[in-house]
Amino acid sequence: QVQLVESGGGLVQPGGSLRLSCAASGSIFSLNTMGWYRQAPGEQRELVAAITSGGSTNYLDSVKGRFTISRDNAKNTVYLQMNSLKPEDTAVYHCNLDQRNLWKHYTYWGQGTQVTVSS
């Protein structure tokens, strides 16, 4: 079992910055992908950014150049630096850890942290 604990959400004005953190604990495989998804009211959950244990990254087109995902493998922690925030970035952001072995695929979710971009 894996537990994910997120922190760093809040209220910020348009153009501002926030940094989200997600610490994973438990049965974590050495090869995995950690990422951030978001879900706005009435919308489907979407992938914002993901990073593999090897450092490969993937971003939602609308956040490219504004958001940066990074990770500290020694601490099993993933970060999302969000700059130049826009009102449309408002959502609940969920941390995700995805890993698999020869027999099974595992995916875990954090409880979510609210990000509100408003003046």
Side-chain angles (χ1 to χ4, degrees), residues 38 47-50 57-69 80-84 86 89:
R38 69 186 181 188
L47 174 65
V48 177
T57 59
N58 183 40
Y59 292 94
L60 181 68
D61 282 347
S62 63
V63 308
K64 287 180 180 177
R66 299 189 297 121
F67 291 10
T68 302
I69 190 168
L80 185 67
Q81 179 66 44
M82 304 185 293
N83 299 329
S84 302
K86 304 176 181 181
D89 296 317

Side-chain angles (χ1 to χ4, degrees), residues 17-68:
S17 298
L18 282 175
R19 189 192 195 210
L20 305 183
S21 299
C22 173
S25 60
S27 301
I28 300 167
F29 301 165
S30 58
L31 298 178
N32 60 67
T33 298
M34 296 187 75
W36 291 94
Y37 288 70
R38 69 186 181 188
Q39 188 167 19
E43 301 290 333
Q44 289 192 342
R45 188 173 294 190
E46 62 181 356
L47 174 65
V48 177
I51 184 168
T52 68
S53 47
S56 297
T57 59
N58 183 40
Y59 292 94
L60 181 68
D61 282 347
S62 63
V63 308
K64 287 180 180 177
R66 299 189 297 121
F67 291 10
T68 302

